[in-house]
Amino acid sequence: TKRTEQTAQLTRKEQKDLKVLALFTSVYCRSKHGGKKTPLLLEGPEWLGLNIEKYRCCKDCRDFLEYAFVRRLRCPLDPKPSCKHCEIHCYRTGHRERVREIMRFSGQYLVKRGRIDLLWHLWF
């Protein structure tokens, strides 16, 4: 199918969405979770060129990110809407609330520290 063929090569929009999610999750994790943080290293051809190794997370946040990335790639809609604008939500119970919490906290955190460019992602 078309989606299976695209899995090996992410669109620019998918890359941007996944990078923002990785950034926000690493900011949230750094502020909320203690313990050892390791770089995000995901295996597979679909992750090549995503360049998310610079973000560090605890094991729980890394597991959450892997789940969120896979759900994003398996989205049946074409073209893909932003998850917040989607009518069918594919996260299991609890994950959608966690994404909201992470995005809300990290967005405010980064904007307060001068990342005004992230406001664009907030509204669109």
Side-chain angles (χ1 to χ4, degrees), residues 1-11 14 78 80:
T1 66
K2 184 177 180 183
R3 185 67 213 145
T4 306
E5 294 168 4
Q6 288 179 341
T7 302
Q9 186 175 9
L10 299 172
T11 65
E14 288 172 320
D78 191 23
K80 294 183 185 314

Side-chain angles (χ1 to χ4, degrees), residues 14-25:
E14 288 172 320
Q15 288 179 358
K16 180 183 174 195
D17 288 347
L18 295 177
K19 284 180 183 181
V20 167
L21 184 57
L23 167 65
F24 278 40
T25 304

Side-chain angles (χ1 to χ4, degrees), residues 7-10 18 40-53 66 69-70 73:
T7 302
Q9 186 175 9
L10 299 172
L18 295 177
L40 294 173
L41 299 172
L42 302 175
E43 295 182 20
E46 62 270 19
W47 312 121
L48 292 176
L50 201 52
N51 199 19
I52 57 170
E53 301 83 27
E66 288 178 10
F69 280 20
V70 168
L73 288 177

Side-chain angles (χ1 to χ4, degrees), residues 3 70-78 80-81 86 88 90:
R3 185 67 213 145
V70 168
R71 298 311 304 174
R72 179 69 176 155
L73 288 177
R74 291 185 180 165
C75 177
L77 303 176
D78 191 23
K80 294 183 185 314
C86 189
I88 58 168
C90 54

Side-chain angles (χ1 to χ4, degrees), residues 29-42:
C29 184
R30 185 175 59 232
S31 297
K32 300 282 186 175
H33 301 149
K36 184 178 179 183
K37 311 280 189 271
T38 56
L40 294 173
L41 299 172
L42 302 175

